[in-house]
Amino acid sequence: MVEPEHRASAAQRLGAQETLGISTLDPGHRPPTMPPGRHVSIKIRMLDDTEEVFDVSQRASGKVVFDLVCTHLNLVEGDYFSLEYQDHHKMMVWLDLLKPIVKQLRRPKHTVLRFVVKFFPPDHTQLLEELTRYLFALQVKHDLACGRLACNDSSAALLVSHIIQSEIGDFEESQSRQHLLNNSYIPDQVALIDRIMEFHSKNVGQTPAESDYQLLEVARRLELYGVRLHPAKDREGSKLSLAVAHTGVLVFQGHTKINAFNWSKVRKLSFKRKRFLIKLRPDLNSSYQDTLEFLMGSRDCCKVFWKICVEYHAFFRLFEEPKPKPKPVLFTRGSSFRFSGRTQKQVIDYVKDSEFKKIPFESPHLSVSSGNSQGMVNGQKPVELCGHSPDGRQPSPLTSPLLNDAGSVRTDDEDEVRRKVCVCSNAELSLSLCVCVSSQSFQNLVGKDDAAPDSLKSTIFSNFDPLYKFHSGFLREVEQRLALWEGRSNAHIKGDYQRIGDVMLKNLQGLKPLTAHLQKHSEALVELEKACRGSRRLEVLVRDFELQKVCYIPLNVFILRPLHRLLHYKQILERLCKHYPPTHVDFRDCRAALADVSEVVAQLHGSMIKMENFQKLLELKKDLIGIDSLVTPGRVSSSRDLDASLKAPYSLYSAKEFIRLGCLSKLSGKGLQQRMFFLFNDVLLYTSRGMTATNQFKVHGQLPLHDMTIRESEDEWGVPHAFTLVGQRQSVVVAASSLSEMEKWMEDIKMAIDLAETSNGHTADLLARSLTDNKSTTEDSCAEAESEDDLMASRTSLERQAPHRGNTTVHVCWHRNTSVSMVDFSIAVENQLSGNLLRKFKNSNGWQKLWVVFTNFSLFFYKTHQDDYPLASLPLLGYSVTIPTESENIHKDYVFKLHFKSHVYYFRSESEYTFERWMEVIRSATVSASSTRILSRKEPHPY
C-alpha cells in the first residue's frame, strides 16, 4: 500500500486551503443542525486512509454525521457513499441514517467509521463529478489490495498500471519497478511486476483523471466489481455466497457467478430467522421454484443482507425516495426499515439541474523521490500550500479546493470560457459521432435475412463495418475525454488536460485510410435500390423497418450519415480554432485536425452532391404516385457504373436534379385549389394528395421547363402573390402563400429554366411518357378534382403499399403551406444539434426536461440521451422562432418560443451560449434559405 510519507506530499502538491465547512450539497446549504445534548468525537477513516474527527451530539442521527462528511469533502454526489462500522457481533454494518448515533454505536469514542462506496452504478459515466470518480477509483484500489476485487492476472496488472500512472506519471523503467517494489497494490504482486510495467508503458500521456477513468472502465467489467459476498448455503447444504447489485440478487460459488435474479423477476424478498427467501414471479419457461431459500449464518446476517437488498432496489429502481409507512396503532409486524435518501435518478437530475458554483478538483498524485524532480508531478509544478488546518495537521487531499495561480478561486469569466468550449464540443461532437442505431440495426437485419442478395450484403458489410468500428472507438475516446471536463476539473487553468484537439487529430488521421469506404457509400444506395426492385420480400423488409420507431428519419439518410459527420467535424474544429488564441495548448492540434478533415471533405465533395440528390429522389419516389422515372432503372447497370458516374461531370443513376418542393394554389375553373409542386432541373410537376391509406401525392400534370417563361401576374388576376407559368403547350396561374414564398419560387423556376435551356430536353420527354395520368397534357383534360376512376386507379396502384409515415417533409410542407429547397436540405445537414432543453406548453405551469435532437427540420424529443428512439417529434417548417414578450410571463433566462398559428411551445436552455446555438440552428429550419445557389453542374454545392 501507499507509504505514509507520500500522503503529506500529496496534500502539498494539491496546495490549497482547507474547506471551511461550506457545503455544495445544496445552494445556500448550512451544516446540519446539531441537536442538543452531550457531544462525542466520531472518527471517520476516508478512502485515502486519512482520518478525520467530527464533534457531534450523541442524539444526532446518522444522517447528521454523514452530511458533515459530505460537507467536509465538498461532495455533491454523496448518495453513492455511506459509513460502515464493525458492530458488537464483529459484523460490518452500514450506519443507519435515520437512527440516533447513541442507539447504534456502543462505544463511539473507540469506534472508527469507514467512509466507502455503497452503491456501484452500472456505468461510471453516470458519475457527473470528477471528485466522485476519484473516490470510486480509491475504492477500487482498496478492494484490489484486500483481495475483494478478485480477477485474472491480466486484468489485475492492467488495473495496477492505471493506478501507478495516476500516482507517478509516465513510465520510466527503473522508477516504475522501484515503485512497485515499495508499494503493494494486489496480493502476489511481485510475480506480475513485468506485466504491470508493460501495461504502464502504454499509458504515456494519461493524466491522473484519465487514469482514474480508465481504471473504472476496466473494473466495471469485472464480475466482482462492487460486489460484497455474504456466505450462505442452498437447501442441499452446498456453500454459496449471495450478493446484490444494481441488476438484482446474485449467487456466487467461490468467485464465480452461477445465477442472477433480476429485479423484474423478483416479487418479494424476506427472511425468517436464518433463512433468506426470494419469491419469484411466475414464469412458465423457467425451471425455478416459486420461492428460493438460502441458509445464512445467523438472523443478523440475514437481516443485514435483506436491508442492503431493499436499499439497492430502491436506489436503482425507484424514481424517488419511498415514503415512510404509517405507524400501526396496536401491533407491529415485520421490520419497519426503509431506504432513506435520494435515488440514483434524483441524484443525476439534481446534479444536472443545480446551478451552484462547483469547486475545482484535481485528484492528488503521489511522487517517488527517485527519478522525479522534487515537487514535480507529470512535469507540472505544484501550487504552494496556502494553509493548514487549525490543529496543525495538513488537510486531506480530498477536501482541498484547488486554487489558480493567483491563489484565488477561478472567476466567472474563466467559467464561461470553459463552458463555451465544453458545450461546443460536448453537445455537437457527441451528436456527430453518435453511431446511428437505425443503420446498424438494419445492417444486422439484412445480414440475417435471406431476402438480401449477396452483392448488397457484401457492399454493406465491407464498407460499413470498418466505419462502424472506427466511430465506436472515436466516440468512446471523445466521451472519455469530455467526462473529464465535467465537475471540478481545473484543466482550464493549466490548459493541459482540458483538450479535444489531440483526440480529434489522432482520429481524423486514422479516418484518412477509410476514405475509400466513404466513397463507396454510393454503391450501398444503388445496391439497396436495385435489390428492392428485384425482391418484393426485401422491399417489404425495408418498408417495415422504416416504420419502426428506431428509424425516425428515412433509412437512406442514415446511410449518408458518415459523410455528414465529416462536415460536423469541420464545423466544430472551425469554431474551436476561432475560439482558441494561437497560444492555447489545443490550438495547434485543432488546426492540424481541421486541415486533415478539410482534405477528406474536398475529396468527397462531388460524391456528396450526387448522393444527396439521389437520396432525395428516392425519398420523393415514395411520396409520389404516377411517375416512375425519378430514378430511372437500367440507366446504371451496376454499382461500378455508378462509381464511374460519380467521377463524370453530371450523371448519377438519373440525370434529374431536385430543386424545390412545396405548396402553391393553382387557379382553375373552380377557383384556387391547393396543389403540391415539385421542381426539377427539367420539369415542374403538380400533384394533389390522394385520398388513400398512404396519403401519397398523385401527379396531375407536368410542365416542361424548356422554352418556358414566367411573369408576375398579381394585378392581372386580382390574386395576391400570383404568377403565371407560360409553357409550350399550356399556361398555369399559381399563387404563393406569401410574398417571400412567391419570390423563392420565381427565383428557383427562373434558374431551373436557364438550366433546362442548356440540356437536350430528353429527360422531360421521358418523364412525360412515364406519367400514368397521361390522357392529355392540356389543362382541360387534366381534371382538378379526382374522378372516381382516378381514385380507383390510385387504390389499385397502392394495393401493395403499407401505411406510410405522415411526417415526411412533403407532408409537412402540405400542412404548413410552405416550401423547401435542396439548398435548405443541404444547409440542414450542417445544422444539427443535441442537448438538454426544458420544454413548456402554452397553458402549462411546469417545465419538462428532455434530451432534444435537431435534425431533418425537426426536433426529436427523448427522455434521456441513452434512449434508442424518440418519444415524439416536432417538424419546424413553417414555425417562427422568437423570444417571449413580457405579457407572456415567462420569467426565466435563455427562453425561446416556437409558434405556428395557435401552437406555441417554450424551450429553456442552460446557458447563453447554448441558447444562441439553438436559435441559430432552429432558424435554419424555420427560415428557408435563399436559393441563390442552385444545385447544378455549373455552380458549387453549398458545402
Side-chain angles (χ1 to χ4, degrees):
M1 295 298 290
V2 179
E3 296 174 350
E5 58 267 28
H6 291 153
R7 297 188 196 118
S9 63
Q12 291 170 354
R13 282 179 177 75
L14 193 60
Q17 294 176 336
E18 185 177 17
T19 174
L20 299 179
I22 302 301
S23 173
T24 56
L25 283 172
D26 288 299
H29 185 72
R30 293 289 180 269
T33 303
M34 192 68 63
R38 190 163 62 91
H39 280 220
V40 65
S41 296
I42 302 292
K43 291 181 182 178
I44 310 289
R45 182 168 297 160
M46 301 298 182
L47 279 163
D48 62 349
D49 287 330
T50 59
E51 283 191 5
E52 301 291 341
V53 179
F54 296 90
D55 191 52
V56 298
S57 166
Q58 282 189 335
R59 296 171 57 187
S61 67
K63 188 176 188 319
V64 171
V65 179
F66 182 71
D67 285 350
L68 284 173
V69 176
C70 291
T71 301
H72 182 70
L73 293 175
N74 289 302
L75 179 62
V76 178
E77 298 173 291
D79 305 77
Y80 290 102
F81 302 83
S82 191
L83 297 169
E84 66 174 359
Y85 65 97
Q86 192 176 59
D87 68 1
H88 61 285
H89 294 302
K90 305 297 182 183
M91 291 177 54
M92 295 303 296
V93 295
W94 298 106
L95 186 71
D96 193 322
L97 300 185
L98 299 180
K99 288 184 178 180
I101 295 290
V102 69
K103 290 190 176 182
Q104 300 185 69
L105 306 181
R106 287 191 171 184
R107 303 174 65 191
K109 292 182 180 179
H110 304 284
T111 303
V112 178
L113 299 175
R114 289 194 64 96
F115 178 80
V116 293
V117 177
K118 184 175 186 178
F119 300 112
F120 290 79
D123 189 348
H124 58 93
T125 59
Q126 294 175 340
L127 306 175
L128 304 182
E129 291 260 301
E130 187 177 325
L131 170 59
T132 314
R133 290 192 291 272
Y134 172 63
L135 293 173
F136 266 70
L138 289 180
Q139 183 69 63
V140 169
K141 178 181 172 183
H142 180 270
D143 290 348
L144 270 175
C146 70
R148 179 183 293 165
L149 186 57
C151 56
N152 59 45
D153 289 349
S154 181
S155 296
L158 183 59
L159 289 166
V160 175
S161 75
H162 290 304
I163 294 174
I164 62 174
Q165 173 71 22
S166 175
E167 293 184 351
I168 67 174
D170 289 344
F171 176 76
E172 196 281 314
E173 185 172 3
S174 60
Q175 171 191 332
S176 180
R177 184 177 296 278
Q178 188 61 44
H179 184 77
L180 289 169
L181 291 173
N182 293 341
N183 298 273
S184 178
Y185 297 100
I186 52 176
D188 303 322
Q189 179 175 292
V190 175
L192 294 177
I193 284 182
D194 290 338
R195 188 177 293 187
I196 295 171
M197 291 173 61
E198 180 186 349
F199 283 129
H200 186 200
S201 66
K202 298 176 182 178
N203 296 339
V204 173
Q206 280 187 8
T207 66
E210 287 173 327
S211 297
D212 290 344
Y213 188 100
Q214 291 291 353
L215 177 71
L216 297 177
E217 181 67 22
V218 176
R220 76 182 180 94
R221 301 178 190 278
L222 300 178
E223 206 158 58
L224 288 170
Y225 173 66
V227 168
R228 292 193 175 204
L229 299 177
H230 297 253
K233 293 181 181 180
D234 62 13
R235 285 183 173 179
E236 285 73 36
S238 300
K239 290 185 178 180
L240 303 169
S241 295
L242 298 181
V244 62
H246 63 93
T247 54
V249 181
L250 312 177
V251 183
F252 285 81
Q253 198 160 50
H255 287 154
T256 303
K257 184 170 68 177
I258 61 172
N259 218 329
F261 301 102
N262 194 285
W263 293 126
S264 60
K265 297 179 181 178
V266 176
R267 185 162 63 90
K268 183 180 180 181
L269 294 175
S270 60
F271 66 96
K272 286 185 178 181
R273 297 183 178 87
K274 295 183 179 182
R275 292 182 297 145
F276 184 79
L277 306 173
I278 304 176
K279 282 193 175 184
L280 302 176
R281 299 185 186 279
D283 186 355
L284 298 177
N285 299 321
S286 175
S287 60
Y288 294 118
Q289 305 169 15
D290 176 62
T291 302
L292 299 175
E293 183 178 308
F294 298 91
L295 191 67
M296 304 190 81
S298 65
R299 180 186 181 279
D300 288 340
C301 292
C302 258
K303 187 171 184 179
V304 166
F305 183 62
W306 174 78
K307 280 185 175 182
I308 188 62
C309 287
V310 170
E311 292 182 312
Y312 251 81
H313 176 270
F315 184 75
F316 287 108
R317 296 280 289 184
L318 300 185
F319 287 162
E320 58 185 25
E321 178 183 354
K323 305 244 181 333
K325 295 179 181 178
K327 292 184 178 180
V329 178
L330 296 175
F331 303 104
T332 61
R333 183 180 179 184
S335 174
S336 62
F337 175 78
R338 68 178 179 88
F339 171 72
S340 172
R342 292 180 292 200
T343 65
Q344 187 190 30
K345 182 182 184 301
Q346 289 177 308
V347 175
I348 293 174
D349 290 345
Y350 173 77
V351 176
K352 285 182 177 179
D353 292 343
S354 295
E355 298 178 356
F356 54 78
K357 185 178 180 69
K358 295 179 179 179
I359 297 177
F361 169 79
E362 179 189 9
S363 57
H365 16 272
L366 307 175
S367 69
V368 178
S369 56
S370 60
N372 275 0
S373 300
Q374 186 63 32
M376 299 285 286
V377 178
N378 285 351
Q380 298 299 323
K381 189 173 181 179
V383 185
E384 293 300 323
L385 187 65
C386 298
H388 298 273
S389 57
D391 61 0
R393 291 182 301 135
Q394 292 170 336
S396 165
L398 300 183
T399 64
S400 306
L402 185 74
L403 307 183
N404 63 17
D405 294 335
S408 59
V409 177
R410 67 171 184 250
T411 64
D412 291 336
D413 289 341
E414 289 173 318
D415 271 343
E416 183 61 23
V417 168
R418 173 180 175 271
R419 185 158 47 247
K420 284 187 177 182
V421 180
C422 185
V423 168
C424 175
S425 294
N426 196 350
E428 303 184 43
L429 186 57
S430 294
L431 169 66
S432 64
L433 266 175
C434 198
V435 180
C436 297
V437 174
S438 295
S439 57
Q440 184 65 16
S441 300
F442 180 74
Q443 182 176 346
N444 295 335
L445 189 64
V446 167
K448 296 175 182 176
D449 200 282
D450 296 334
D454 291 339
S455 58
L456 177 61
K457 292 181 181 179
S458 174
T459 301
I460 288 179
F461 289 119
S462 63
N463 292 319
F464 280 81
D465 278 354
L467 291 169
Y468 180 83
K469 183 177 180 181
F470 166 79
H471 280 96
S472 298
F474 194 179
L475 176 62
R476 186 165 53 251
E477 285 192 47
V478 169
E479 287 182 335
Q480 184 176 319
R481 177 60 61 84
L482 294 178
L484 301 174
W485 291 21
E486 298 294 334
R488 304 161 186 265
S489 172
N490 67 312
H492 67 289
I493 299 172
K494 298 193 296 185
D496 289 334
Y497 305 152
Q498 196 158 337
R499 304 167 58 191
I500 197 65
D502 56 333
V503 174
M504 295 291 288
L505 179 60
K506 170 192 167 187
N507 283 279
L508 289 175
Q509 286 176 343
L511 182 64
K512 280 187 174 182
L514 300 177
T515 305
H517 295 292
L518 290 166
Q519 287 173 329
K520 291 182 180 179
H521 277 224
S522 57
E523 292 187 15
L525 283 175
V526 173
E527 288 292 346
L528 182 59
E529 172 65 12
K530 281 175 54 184
C532 288
R533 284 181 176 274
S535 170
R536 165 72 178 144
R537 181 178 166 190
L538 182 62
E539 183 183 12
V540 172
L541 184 75
V542 173
R543 182 195 65 201
D544 291 345
F545 182 79
E546 286 196 318
L547 290 173
Q548 295 179 23
K549 290 181 179 179
V550 72
C551 193
Y552 55 92
I553 57 178
L555 174 63
N556 48 26
V557 175
F558 283 114
I559 294 177
L560 297 180
R561 277 293 189 251
L563 289 167
H564 295 161
R565 288 194 194 101
L566 297 175
L567 303 172
H568 303 156
Y569 304 156
K570 187 169 180 286
Q571 280 192 332
I572 290 166
L573 287 166
E574 285 172 345
R575 276 198 291 273
L576 284 170
C577 287
K578 286 181 182 178
H579 173 76
Y580 288 140
T583 56
H584 194 281
V585 68
D586 212 24
F587 180 75
R588 181 176 294 180
D589 284 341
C590 285
R591 282 289 297 270
L594 177 59
D596 286 338
V597 73
S598 298
E599 180 184 340
V600 177
V601 168
Q603 291 178 20
L604 297 170
H605 176 76
S607 298
M608 280 195 273
I609 294 174
K610 294 176 173 63
M611 278 191 281
E612 284 188 348
N613 183 65
F614 182 50
Q615 182 275 323
K616 189 53 58 182
L617 295 177
L618 290 172
E619 188 179 333
L620 293 178
K621 178 184 155 191
K622 296 179 181 179
D623 284 309
L624 292 172
I625 305 172
I627 179 171
D628 294 321
S629 62
L630 284 182
V631 183
T632 310
R635 187 168 293 222
V636 175
S637 59
S638 70
S639 55
R640 290 183 181 178
D641 295 333
L642 174 64
D643 193 51
S645 75
L646 288 174
K647 301 171 185 176
Y650 192 75
S651 56
L652 176 59
Y653 201 70
S654 170
K656 194 173 297 300
E657 284 186 13
F658 163 70
I659 296 175
R660 180 176 288 274
L661 63 84
C663 271
L664 291 170
S665 296
K666 184 171 174 291
L667 187 63
S668 69
K670 296 185 178 182
L672 289 172
Q673 294 186 318
Q674 185 180 5
R675 291 290 177 261
M676 196 72 181
F677 281 72
F678 297 85
L679 176 63
F680 301 93
N681 62 315
D682 55 353
V683 70
L684 178 65
L685 302 178
Y686 56 93
T687 69
S688 62
R689 194 169 73 153
M691 304 296 292
T692 65
T694 61
N695 288 329
Q696 288 171 292
F697 291 86
K698 186 178 188 301
V699 176
H700 276 284
Q702 53 89 15
L703 301 170
L705 299 181
H706 194 69
D707 291 335
M708 178 184 280
T709 60
I710 182 172
R711 70 172 187 269
E712 194 172 339
S713 51
E714 182 174 342
D715 296 335
E716 181 181 348
W717 295 98
V719 177
H721 319 310
F723 56 96
T724 302
L725 303 169
V726 182
Q728 292 176 331
R729 290 168 286 188
Q730 68 181 109
S731 297
V732 175
V733 178
V734 294
S737 60
S738 65
L739 177 61
S740 63
E741 279 290 304
M742 182 188 75
E743 291 174 346
K744 285 185 283 190
W745 272 109
M746 291 185 68
E747 183 180 12
D748 278 354
I749 293 173
K750 286 176 183 177
M751 286 187 164
I753 291 171
D754 292 339
L755 288 175
E757 295 300 324
T758 62
S759 66
N760 55 23
H762 291 332
T763 54
D765 294 339
L766 179 64
L767 177 71
R769 290 195 298 272
S770 72
L771 290 171
T772 55
D773 188 11
N774 198 27
K775 303 171 187 175
S776 171
T777 57
T778 64
E779 176 68 14
D780 293 336
S781 64
C782 185
E784 288 304 320
E786 287 189 275
S787 66
E788 189 63 29
D789 290 340
D790 291 331
L791 291 173
M792 290 301 295
S794 297
R795 290 191 185 100
T796 302
S797 66
L798 287 170
E799 283 178 355
R800 298 184 298 111
Q801 301 293 336
H804 181 63
R805 284 192 185 272
N807 64 345
T808 63
T809 306
V810 178
H811 286 82
V812 174
C813 286
W814 172 266
H815 290 293
R816 305 273 169 84
N817 199 18
T818 187
S819 68
V820 63
S821 71
M822 189 63 199
V823 174
D824 296 324
F825 281 109
S826 299
I827 293 174
V829 166
E830 298 181 10
N831 286 294
Q832 300 189 40
L833 188 62
S834 68
N836 285 310
L837 283 176
L838 296 169
R839 182 183 66 178
K840 178 182 179 297
F841 296 105
K842 181 180 179 180
N843 297 319
S844 66
N845 295 322
W847 295 84
Q848 181 186 16
K849 187 174 184 180
L850 296 165
W851 180 263
V852 183
V853 174
F854 173 76
T855 185
N856 213 45
F857 301 106
S858 299
L859 292 177
F860 293 92
F861 303 109
Y862 299 77
K863 191 172 182 180
T864 71
H865 72 283
Q866 296 175 322
D867 293 355
D868 290 335
Y869 57 84
L871 301 169
S873 63
L874 177 63
L876 296 185
L877 290 172
Y879 266 77
S880 298
V881 56
T882 58
I883 298 174
T885 61
E886 288 290 334
S887 62
E888 292 174 274
N889 294 320
I890 305 293
H891 304 297
K892 299 287 185 180
D893 294 330
Y894 316 131
V895 176
F896 58 90
K897 171 185 173 183
L898 284 170
H899 52 100
F900 173 76
K901 295 183 179 178
S902 62
H903 302 280
V904 178
Y905 302 91
Y906 300 99
F907 293 91
R908 180 154 58 102
S909 56
E910 59 189 7
S911 68
E912 182 180 359
Y913 179 74
T914 53
F915 169 78
E916 291 171 354
R917 284 293 294 137
W918 280 108
M919 290 285 282
E920 179 186 348
V921 297
I922 288 176
R923 281 197 180 110
S924 72
T926 57
V927 182
S928 296
S930 173
S931 46
T932 53
R933 298 171 294 171
I934 254 318
L935 187 58
S936 71
R937 32 183 178 174
K938 289 187 177 180
E939 295 204 29
H941 194 272
Y943 294 137

